[in-house]
Amino acid sequence: MNNSEFLKQINSYYPLSEETSEALMDICSEERYKKNELLLEAGNMARFYYFIKSGLIGYYTTDEEGNNIYKIFFEENSFVASTAAIIKNEPSDFSIIALEDCSVIKYPVKAFRELLEKHHDLALFHLRYLEKNWVVKKEPLEVSLKFETAKQRYLLLLENKSLYVRLKQHHIASYLGITPTQLSRIRKEITG
């Protein structure tokens, strides 16, 4: 298993010792998921953390009418998990799905959390990761949902070209909280 990018991403938050890196790699495995295959289904316990080596993953919930509501998308070199479900030790409210064929490094929650107890440097990585991605990065998204129009949020999504070109229009509409018809109107308005 080529783990260089995985460890590089971890070390960008906090550098791990060789001993910690080896202990972490001992609990990791590489897994492949086909497009539209679930990594986690809502209602199940979140038993793994994932690191995306290749592919695109979506994180969504389902409304009363059965529509998928996408919260966020993850590209290569991202860490993915149903973090709130893991922290609360409850079944996940969200599903995690491969939107493209994916290759991931996965590691079990229980074993990872045991390593956090033993390895101070791994705990500091985890803390810094959570601070950056679940507090600092998430806050503007929450504000955006309350105060920006769907058109403004669409324009922000357009700025991330590498992600935008990989998404289907129904994924984008769901993420923006609008219908595909409303998205078509916004797109026409922007392109003239």
Side-chain angles (χ1 to χ4, degrees):
M1 167 172 45
N2 180 352
N3 53 31
S4 60
E5 194 57 45
F6 174 61
L7 291 174
K8 180 180 171 189
Q9 288 297 319
I10 289 173
N11 287 316
S12 73
Y13 291 94
Y14 193 87
L16 300 185
S17 70
E18 191 171 321
E19 176 191 346
T20 302
S21 296
E22 286 175 14
L24 176 59
M25 293 315 300
D26 284 346
I27 67 167
C28 291
S29 61
E30 192 167 334
E31 192 90 20
R32 295 188 185 283
Y33 293 90
K34 293 285 184 200
K35 181 178 179 179
N36 297 323
E37 190 175 352
L38 289 173
L39 287 74
L40 173 67
E41 186 173 5
N44 291 335
M45 296 299 286
R47 302 205 186 284
F48 294 95
Y49 291 97
Y50 304 90
F51 174 78
I52 306 171
K53 291 180 72 173
S54 66
L56 180 67
I57 289 178
Y59 188 85
Y60 71 91
T61 190
T62 306
D63 67 14
E64 295 84 27
E65 290 86 43
N67 300 309
N68 293 341
I69 312 298
Y70 281 88
K71 179 179 178 183
I72 193 165
F73 303 100
F74 297 92
E75 296 180 277
E76 290 82 4
N77 302 323
S78 297
F79 295 91
V80 182
S82 185
T83 306
I86 290 169
I87 291 169
K88 296 187 297 186
N89 196 30
E90 294 177 354
S92 179
D93 292 331
F94 289 87
S95 292
I96 301 173
I97 189 168
L99 298 176
E100 299 172 351
D101 288 351
C102 294
S103 174
V104 303
I105 293 174
K106 76 178 198 178
Y107 43 107
V109 167
K110 186 177 184 304
F112 180 72
R113 294 185 80 76
E114 288 169 3
L115 288 180
L116 292 176
E117 300 276 336
K118 293 179 191 170
H119 298 276
H120 182 74
D121 51 350
L122 189 62
L124 286 171
F125 147 72
H126 195 58
L127 174 66
R128 291 191 177 164
Y129 170 80
L130 291 173
E131 287 174 341
K132 182 176 179 184
N133 292 284
W134 288 89
V135 178
V136 175
K137 196 174 183 181
K138 193 175 172 195
E139 196 171 86
L141 292 173
E142 292 169 347
V143 171
S144 160
L145 283 172
K146 289 192 180 290
F147 298 109
E148 293 177 352
T149 66
K151 180 180 175 183
Q152 289 169 317
R153 293 192 319 274
Y154 177 74
L155 290 170
L156 280 175
L157 182 60
L158 267 177
E159 289 177 13
N160 185 348
K161 284 282 186 219
S162 67
L163 174 62
Y164 178 81
V165 298
R166 298 168 79 177
L167 295 172
K168 304 282 185 224
Q169 294 307 304
H170 68 276
H171 294 141
I172 295 170
S174 166
Y175 175 74
L176 296 173
I178 60 176
T179 66
T181 305
Q182 290 169 309
L183 177 58
S184 291
R185 284 191 204 118
I186 289 170
R187 293 175 73 210
K188 282 181 189 169
E189 188 180 316
I190 290 169
T191 58

